[in-house]
Amino acid sequence: ETVLTQSPATLSLSPGERAMFSCRASQDINNYLAWYQQKPGQAPRLLIYDVSNRAAGIPPRFGGSGSGTDFTLTISSLEPEDFAVYYCQQRGSWPLTFGHGTRLEIK
Amino acid sequence: QVLLQESGPGLVKPSQTLSLTCTVSGVSINSGLYYWTWVRHVPGTGLEWIGYIFYSGNSRLNPSLRSRVSMSMAKSQSHFSLRLTSVTAADTAVYFCAGGLVVTPGYYLHYWGQGALVTVSS
């Protein structure tokens, strides 16, 4: 099973700042990595797929990068609605696995 | 617009069977376009992929749960279902149904239900 390790566990930032989330895979996942956003009481929402492709309707302030085993989600300038939990997910091997999430909170 | 909605008991006794149904609208579950999936979120941990069922009836399950999980589809009623046997408190979670576009390898989850909290307690 591919283990995804996300860091930091919590990120405290202010609106307008840049946010960077890390996801490290226990083995090469061939760039088959996605990012999701989850707000309290809601389902996760797909943001980024295959490392750097934005899903439909996702604003350009969300960007993804990385390769091999190390991946980053960047939010260029935080909006109030961006404060949530962010998960990475890999599809490079079975079973599908998710990271434990990074909580983005308002500083 | 693809919509999914979970339904089922919110409380299950230990050692009994958890059963949930997901009703899909906005797309045919026979289309072959999606893997119809169950994911759970155990409090204090991350998301766990339980498995999927395809329109053909084939399924793929997480090895960690495979011995206790089964999935089925009712195509005429546009729903698919999850059964998890011999539940314990560790199975207390929010259970999501979801749909992921068919790609290879694996897939991502594009559409999600709102989630159903299932508590295992006597």
Side-chain angles (χ1 to χ4, degrees), chain A residues 32-33 36 50 89 91 94, chain B residues 41 60 105 107-109 112-113:
Chain A
Y32 293 132
L33 187 99
Y36 298 82
D50 289 347
Q89 179 234 318
R91 68 175 179 95
W94 299 103
Chain B
H41 190 181
R60 188 164 198 142
Y107 60 101
Y108 303 123
L109 294 156
W112 296 71

Side-chain angles (χ1 to χ4, degrees), chain B residues 10-16 87-93 118-122:
Chain B
L11 181 64
V12 181
K13 289 182 167 48
S15 80
Q16 295 192 342
V87 297
T88 70
D91 295 310
T92 293
V118 179
T119 301
V120 178
S121 175
S122 56

Side-chain angles (χ1 to χ4, degrees), chain A residues 20-39:
Chain A
M20 297 182 72
F21 307 82
S22 174
C23 179
R24 177 166 291 178
S26 60
Q27 61 186 310
D28 191 329
I29 55 173
N30 291 307
N31 297 344
Y32 293 132
L33 187 99
W35 293 92
Y36 298 82
Q37 177 194 68
Q38 187 179 26
K39 297 179 180 179

Side-chain angles (χ1 to χ4, degrees), chain A residues 38-77:
Chain A
Q38 187 179 26
K39 297 179 180 179
Q42 296 185 19
R45 176 174 70 146
L46 180 65
L47 298 175
I48 301 285
Y49 64 94
D50 289 347
V51 177
S52 59
N53 298 285
R54 280 190 301 276
I58 302 304
R61 66 179 182 274
F62 290 91
S65 61
S67 64
T69 60
D70 289 305
F71 303 92
T72 301
L73 170 70
T74 301
I75 308 175
S76 59
S77 179

